[in-house]
Amino acid sequence: MIQVKGVWFHYQPEEAPRKDWALQDINLTIMPGEYVSVIGPNGSGKSTLSRLLNGLLLPVEGEVRVGGRLTANTQDLWYIRQQVGLVFQNPDNQIVAPTVQDDVAFGLENLGVSREEMKERIRDALEAVGLAGMEQREPHHLSGGQKQRLAIAGILAMQPKVIVFDEATSMLDPQGRKDVLGIIRQLNEKGTTVIHITHSANEAFLAKRVIVMAEGRIQLDLPADELYPIALILEKWGLDVPLAVRLHHRLLGHGWHLRERITSLEDLVTDLWRFLSKD
Amino acid sequence: MIGQYIPGHSPLHQMDPRAKLLFVFAYMFAVFLANNPATYGLLVLFTGIGIYFSRISLSVFYRSMKPVFILILLTSLLHLWMTRGGEALFSFSFLTIYEEGVRQAIYISIRFFLLMAAASLLTFTTSPIDLTDGMESLLKPFERLGVPAHELALMMSIALRFIPTLWEETEKIKKAQMARGADFESGHVFKRVKSYIPVLIPLFISAFRRAEDLALAMESRCYRGGKGRTKWRELHYSHLDVVLLLLFVILLTALWLLRK
């Protein structure tokens, strides 16, 4: 679906030495239907990467292809942006129109979708994010979580194959975050390719594949259940480690006889039950 | 503009925004046709009927027109004082009031009131989104002449979208500055205006950041100007708009016949 090959990027390529570039030799293939998370500290280049995926930015070196088409080809740009939707961090700053339904319609108007079809798509998109019945609401009367769901609906109505969430949960309250994460999972289950960019390890491990970025490079690219047991390594880049992993590590250190590898919180819980019931 | 939208279902609310816009525009010229008591009387009656059919309570109407009344009072006082002509009605040391002055003061007041009332009725009964759509649609034919109809409408629509957001932000910044000891209430006018600088600068910076974010989000959603774009909102003329047109033609004819 998406291929990133040998991509180097910097906003002012002439002025910075190559070792300081925002992206350095990024190689990445994302298959249709995947649920990938990209995790990395601030300034690791993960947001820059998201903007390269739909041609908002073009690589200085290397190439990005979506469905085989190059993002550098101007005539393919609109196809690519329709295929790859981007949900941004700040829910306020990506809502264009003064009412909920007008905002969902915005992308469809740009694509030149007929009014009849818009009606259907708007209804379906709002239903999918749980905002049905709020068509006439004004965005400033929505909560942060609702605004972000509206932003997702606006993308969803354009029927993209891939949706990139660029720290889309970082400005939300816990409830809003939970709602958005639930929608992300549902979308993926229905076949949308999801790329979730985050700095929260807990959110990253909801995906099936985790890419760790730091200093402009991909440091690790592993299935989530392979990274989980060795998640302590995330501390190396100043990232947080899931509580279960830290606890497991400490318990082992205290001489508890648990499994050497756990791949999820549930693993640890069952292990603990087993261990404690033996006594 | 004048007056804030008051949601409702009156005949005036149901008219097409384009019809109302065109009407108000034409009405502003029609008002200048009046030049005697009969024609002014007719216009006042017509506007009164308009107010009645807008189903907006007179007290609300009065309240929103209050600043206008002060302006009317001032201009009529000026006319009483300055306009000369006809018989002198009243004289007191340096102040002489002439017949013509009284007539002008009355006429100008009525004219002013009529214009403001028509504009208020428009904004009272038409939501800003509809107004924007109406303007875009009316300006569309002039696009060939280089009038950026779509861009203007989009700008207005984005402004409408962001006014409440920026307002909220202003309040937040104000509170943050107050928590740091800023004082917005005391001192003379100049000092108070100056005290708002620490609010405005962060507000502007954030507005620019928002604009940048929004531009990225719009591009991501395939925005590329007005070309090839379909429209979600549609406007429909109804029989009410035909009634409005007929009324206007009748009004115009009557004005023509009654004026001297």
Side-chain angles (χ1 to χ4, degrees):
Chain A
M1 191 67 230
I2 297 183
Q3 286 158 301
V4 181
K5 257 193 253 164
V7 163
W8 288 74
F9 181 85
H10 195 265
Y11 288 90
Q12 283 106 23
E14 296 85 19
E15 284 162 33
R18 279 172 79 91
K19 65 172 178 50
D20 291 343
W21 281 28
L23 293 178
Q24 301 168 25
D25 194 28
I26 303 289
N27 289 287
L28 193 61
T29 304
I30 287 166
M31 304 302 284
E34 267 199 286
Y35 183 173
V36 186
S37 62
V38 179
I39 182 175
N42 290 334
S44 60
K46 56 192 196 303
S47 268
T48 310
L49 178 64
S50 75
R51 283 155 175 66
L52 279 146
L53 296 179
N54 76 345
L56 280 177
L57 297 174
L58 296 176
V60 177
E61 272 172 41
E63 57 175 49
V64 179
R65 283 177 188 275
V66 174
R69 306 198 199 188
L70 271 179
T71 55
N73 275 350
T74 335
Q75 69 268 29
D76 286 336
L77 204 53
W78 308 111
Y79 166 82
I80 287 166
R81 290 194 182 153
Q82 183 268 316
Q83 293 276 299
V84 183
L86 213 54
V87 178
F88 294 88
Q89 181 176 21
N90 190 330
D92 257 321
N93 298 356
Q94 47 188 325
I95 296 169
V96 185
T99 74
V100 166
Q101 58 171 353
D102 283 286
D103 190 68
V104 181
F106 179 76
L108 301 176
E109 293 178 318
N110 293 337
L111 292 177
V113 173
S114 75
R115 200 166 177 280
E116 280 309 299
E117 205 188 326
M118 271 192 216
K119 246 183 234 168
E120 257 170 56
R121 288 211 202 173
I122 292 173
R123 199 195 52 221
D124 293 349
L126 286 177
E127 229 158 64
V129 301
L131 289 180
M134 299 196 177
E135 287 80 0
Q136 307 289 346
R137 288 274 193 102
E138 291 166 14
H140 65 276
H141 288 142
L142 300 178
S143 71
Q146 285 172 330
K147 279 183 215 169
Q148 201 59 304
R149 274 145 65 194
L150 170 58
I152 297 173
I155 298 291
L156 213 52
M158 296 171 76
Q159 304 182 337
K161 295 264 165 56
V162 185
I163 303 184
V164 183
F165 295 87
D166 184 6
E167 304 222 26
T169 55
S170 64
M171 286 178 75
L172 305 181
D173 57 34
Q175 185 58 45
R177 185 172 305 152
K178 214 175 122 204
D179 292 345
V180 169
L181 290 171
I183 288 167
I184 294 178
R185 202 195 60 232
Q186 275 174 23
L187 290 176
N188 179 249
E189 279 166 5
K190 282 186 205 145
T192 310
T193 310
V194 169
I195 301 172
H196 182 49
I197 292 169
T198 175
H199 57 248
S200 145
N202 283 323
E203 286 185 22
F205 280 110
L206 296 172
K208 294 186 189 76
R209 173 179 167 196
V210 181
I211 293 170
V212 181
M213 283 190 71
E215 288 152 5
R217 285 178 180 274
I218 292 181
Q219 308 285 350
L220 288 172
D221 182 352
L222 288 171
D225 49 6
E226 279 181 35
L227 179 61
Y228 200 85
I230 55 163
L232 278 176
I233 199 174
L234 292 174
E235 274 181 349
K236 191 171 138 194
W237 300 289
L239 296 165
D240 59 338
V241 176
L243 180 68
V245 175
R246 265 186 294 157
L247 181 62
H248 177 244
H249 182 75
R250 293 247 184 117
L251 290 176
L252 283 180
H254 276 80
W256 288 41
H257 293 286
L258 299 169
R259 262 186 289 181
E260 282 295 317
R261 283 169 59 94
I262 54 162
T263 54
S264 67
L265 175 64
E266 286 70 38
D267 270 10
L268 180 66
V269 172
T270 40
D271 240 33
L272 283 176
W273 276 118
R274 197 178 309 132
F275 184 76
L276 293 173
S277 55
K278 270 186 207 151
D279 288 353
Chain B
M1 264 198 269
I2 319 104
Q4 212 186 351
Y5 174 57
I6 303 170
H9 296 284
S10 76
L12 255 66
H13 282 87
Q14 286 168 34
M15 283 175 187
D16 190 286
R18 289 168 295 180
K20 281 187 271 187
L21 273 165
L22 283 177
F23 172 80
V24 169
F25 190 66
Y27 189 75
M28 297 204 158
F29 289 100
V31 165
F32 286 93
L33 282 178
N35 60 0
N36 59 10
T39 43
Y40 274 113
L42 181 68
L43 282 168
V44 170
L45 184 72
F46 191 83
T47 309
I49 294 171
I51 296 170
Y52 173 76
F53 276 109
S54 72
R55 303 268 189 272
I56 285 162
S57 75
L58 278 176
S59 66
V60 171
F61 197 84
Y62 170 74
R63 241 179 293 142
S64 80
M65 293 281 282
K66 232 183 197 164
V68 178
F69 286 134
I70 295 169
L71 217 66
I72 290 178
L73 201 72
L74 277 175
T75 41
S76 46
L77 277 178
L78 267 174
H79 264 290
L80 279 180
W81 195 347
M82 311 290 272
T83 311
R84 279 146 211 281
E87 268 176 67
L89 295 177
F90 178 82
S91 183
F92 179 76
S93 74
F94 62 90
L95 179 73
T96 314
I97 292 175
Y98 294 93
E99 200 185 21
E100 193 58 32
V102 174
R103 187 180 302 128
Q104 280 301 322
I106 292 173
Y107 282 173
I108 294 287
S109 305
I110 294 177
R111 193 179 288 169
F112 217 61
F113 166 78
L114 289 172
L115 293 176
M116 296 314 278
S120 301
L121 277 181
L122 173 68
T123 51
F124 276 147
T125 63
T126 320
S127 73
I129 305 176
D130 282 340
L131 265 183
T132 309
D133 275 340
M135 276 186 212
E136 179 177 12
S137 169
L138 289 175
L139 287 176
K140 202 109 222 167
F142 301 101
E143 260 186 346
R144 279 182 206 188
L145 303 175
V147 178
H150 162 73
E151 283 78 5
L152 281 174
L154 188 71
M155 267 162 61
M156 275 183 65
S157 155
I158 290 174
L160 286 174
R161 150 77 187 88
F162 276 95
I163 285 168
T165 308
L166 291 177
W167 182 250
E168 255 169 47
E169 185 153 37
T170 315
E171 291 295 303
K172 219 184 278 170
I173 298 172
K174 230 172 116 175
K175 282 196 188 117
Q177 299 290 30
M178 272 153 84
R180 288 164 178 76
D183 178 8
F184 298 106
E185 259 106 55
S186 62
H188 51 82
V189 183
F190 186 68
K191 194 175 161 242
R192 261 185 288 166
V193 170
K194 219 175 126 188
S195 71
Y196 269 86
I197 293 175
V199 174
L200 290 178
I201 289 175
L203 186 67
F204 268 87
I205 292 173
S206 127
F208 279 113
R209 190 171 309 133
R210 283 181 195 282
E212 217 168 310
D213 279 2
L214 186 69
L216 277 182
M218 284 169 67
E219 273 196 64
S220 288
R221 283 161 80 184
C222 292
Y223 179 71
R224 53 193 130 164
K227 255 195 190 147
R229 226 167 166 261
T230 45
K231 281 216 54 110
W232 162 245
R233 290 184 164 272
E234 271 185 343
L235 299 171
H236 295 287
Y237 288 114
S238 68
H239 61 279
L240 278 168
D241 303 304
V242 181
V243 173
L244 185 66
L245 177 70
L246 281 175
L247 280 174
F248 185 69
V249 171
I250 294 170
L251 177 74
L252 216 56
T253 328
L255 279 178
W256 197 259
L257 293 174
L258 286 172
R259 82 194 286 256
K260 21 166 218 217

